[in-house]
Amino acid sequence: AEYFRSVYWSHVRDKPADKMPGEDEKVLDAYDSIVNDPSLYLDMEFQEGDLQLVSNHVVLHSRTAFTDSEAHKRHLLRLWLSTE
């Protein structure tokens, strides 16, 4: 699932009422409270050789800040796959 509340709001802002419909805002508020609940987070610390495959259409995910050091250098690759 991809979720960017700001993207939704940018589409609503162009409507004549210039305001988010009340029910939509309630749903997004509830969703915000769920996705920002630390008790639902899964923190992972990767070791050398680990691989993670994530579908942006199914999993809400983010990355914490990372600073390279001599001992730990991040190697992050992005891959787009299509079934077409």
Side-chain angles (χ1 to χ4, degrees):
E2 293 180 344
Y3 174 66
F4 297 101
R5 186 174 183 152
S6 60
V7 172
Y8 175 85
W9 177 242
S10 71
H11 294 290
V12 173
R13 188 179 48 218
D14 296 332
K15 293 186 177 177
D18 198 37
K19 130 180 209 221
M20 185 179 297
E23 286 301 309
D24 289 3
E25 190 164 13
K26 287 179 187 175
V27 168
L28 292 175
D29 286 345
Y31 199 76
D32 281 343
S33 69
I34 293 167
V35 300
N36 290 306
D37 181 349
S39 71
L40 300 175
Y41 293 178
L42 172 63
D43 289 326
M44 302 171 73
E45 189 168 320
F46 294 97
Q47 304 299 319
E48 185 174 336
D50 285 349
L51 170 72
Q52 181 183 49
L53 300 174
V54 177
S55 170
N56 289 337
H57 299 286
V58 179
V59 176
L60 288 171
H61 64 92
S62 65
R63 291 183 292 277
T64 55
F66 184 87
T67 303
D68 281 334
S69 69
E70 287 300 317
H72 297 95
K73 293 191 179 198
R74 180 170 69 174
H75 182 75
L76 180 65
L77 299 174
R78 180 173 288 169
L79 173 68
W80 287 272
L81 298 175
S82 175
T83 57
E84 296 177 2

